[in-house]
Amino acid sequence: MNQQTMRTWTEIRLDNLEHNYHVLRSCAPQSKFLGVVKANAYGHGAEEVAHKLQQLGADYLAVACLNEATELRQSGITMPILILGATPAEFAPQVVEYDLTQAVFTTQLAQALSKAAAAQGKRAKIHVKLDTGMSRLGILAHDPAQAAQDVDALCALEGLEAEGIFTHFANADGDEGYTMEQFTRFLDTLDVLKNTYGRTFQLRHCAASAAVLNFPCTHLDMVRPGIALYGYLPDPSCQGLDAGELWPVMTLKTRVAAVRELPGDTPVSYGCTQHMPASGGRVAVLPVGYADGLHRVLSGQGTVLVGGQERPIVGRVCMDMCMVALQEEDQVQPGDEVELFGAHHSLEDMAQLAGTIPYELLCAVSPRVPRLYQGA
Ligand SMILES: *Cc1c(COP(=O)(O)O)cnc(C)c1O
């Protein structure tokens, strides 16, 4: 795509992803590596990111749902893919057909996979999901003896290959006590499975980015980072790495559509919520709005980099445009590049102003915004 014709685009540095991959692998050198590429790889493009990770030698990928997994298979991804979310039992045949690994926590889905495996003359690979305290999906593991019994019953079904078992921490970037409580439930359940049922698992995993960085004792057989791969700490408080050691992969850019000289006290944008100073001044109109992923809550709050300088968004963010206030000395022309976040302008700061986290702003970059890849 010709960059000149684009109003708003992202630059995706796959070489920075590679750097982050190596940094994270060195944080967990004894463990296998699963790269989380759900939600279009946090907005970065699942296909491109998955191919990069496959080429780098990652061991596993994870996605949220069946569709995300089959799209990756159709794009030529041959490495193992774990579906983290609940797949409706009627789609079990596709899970088996595409050689996907399914997170399992209900008898119903386990039976459907078992049946699909028999019908296709294959084995269905599963990772059992335990709920040790996140209260999302999983077999409740507050009582390890009960949990082990439930897990064993699932795994005993014909045609299933119970390759893995995993859990997810609710507060690994905030609360060591609670994380260790969850980890203990996980290990206790594994103990009962081994001692009472003689059942062991090749891949035990529980560490997403926060635990990869904060709690090396939880790395086990495989780690499961997402956000850190894309260059961000899950929380500023995370230990183990300094913020600068991970490099942002995505930079969101736009191009000045117009520079407008406006009279004093003129209101700017919908709702006339903000006005020009009494002496008047200039605004740059940017062709980026909430339909591109620039959250409307940043109206009158956020800043962007114009000519390398931080300039404030004035008035409401519109669907396809927003306005930023220029200073007298700014020599800005239509067509000049503007950085919204990424390489030089902090996504963390923007997320904080928007009352959210970097994850959400990355995922929010809409399909309308072209992704340009560098360092493939
Ligand atoms: C999203 C997700 C991850 C990755 O989390 P990050 O905080 O982005 O590292 C890991 N495991 C599960 C189950 C997830 O849903």
Side-chain angles (χ1 to χ4, degrees), residues 7 254-259 284-287 306 332-338:
R7 49 190 282 284
T254 188
R255 202 181 275 295
V256 174
V259 177
V285 181
L286 305 180
V306 186
V332 177
Q333 308 282 333
D336 286 359
E337 278 188 22
V338 173

Side-chain angles (χ1 to χ4, degrees), residues 13 15 62 91 126 141 172 178 330 343 349 369 372:
R13 295 277 308 256
D15 48 343
F91 294 104
I126 65 166
Y178 193 64
D330 291 346
D349 291 352
V369 177
L372 296 187

Side-chain angles (χ1 to χ4, degrees), residues 36 38 42 84 129 136 166 168 208-209 224-227 234 359:
V36 179
K38 65 193 181 194
Y42 295 41
L84 295 166
K129 174 93 194 256
R136 202 167 62 176
F166 72 112
H168 194 50
S209 297
R224 216 171 57 217
I227 194 73
Y359 297 72

Side-chain angles (χ1 to χ4, degrees), residues 34-38 42 62-64 82 84-85 129 134 136 166-169 173 205-212 223-230 232-234 359:
L34 176 153
V36 179
V37 296
K38 65 193 181 194
Y42 295 41
V63 296
L82 172 63
L84 295 166
K129 174 93 194 256
M134 172 74 181
R136 202 167 62 176
F166 72 112
T167 192
H168 194 50
F169 296 132
D173 47 13
H205 51 105
C206 51
S209 297
V212 173
V223 293
R224 216 171 57 217
I227 194 73
L229 258 182
Y230 305 104
Y232 295 96
L233 297 177
Y359 297 72

Side-chain angles (χ1 to χ4, degrees), residues 248 251 253 305 339 341-346:
T251 297
K253 288 186 172 181
L305 275 192
E339 180 176 321
F341 65 73
H344 307 99
H345 194 232
S346 159

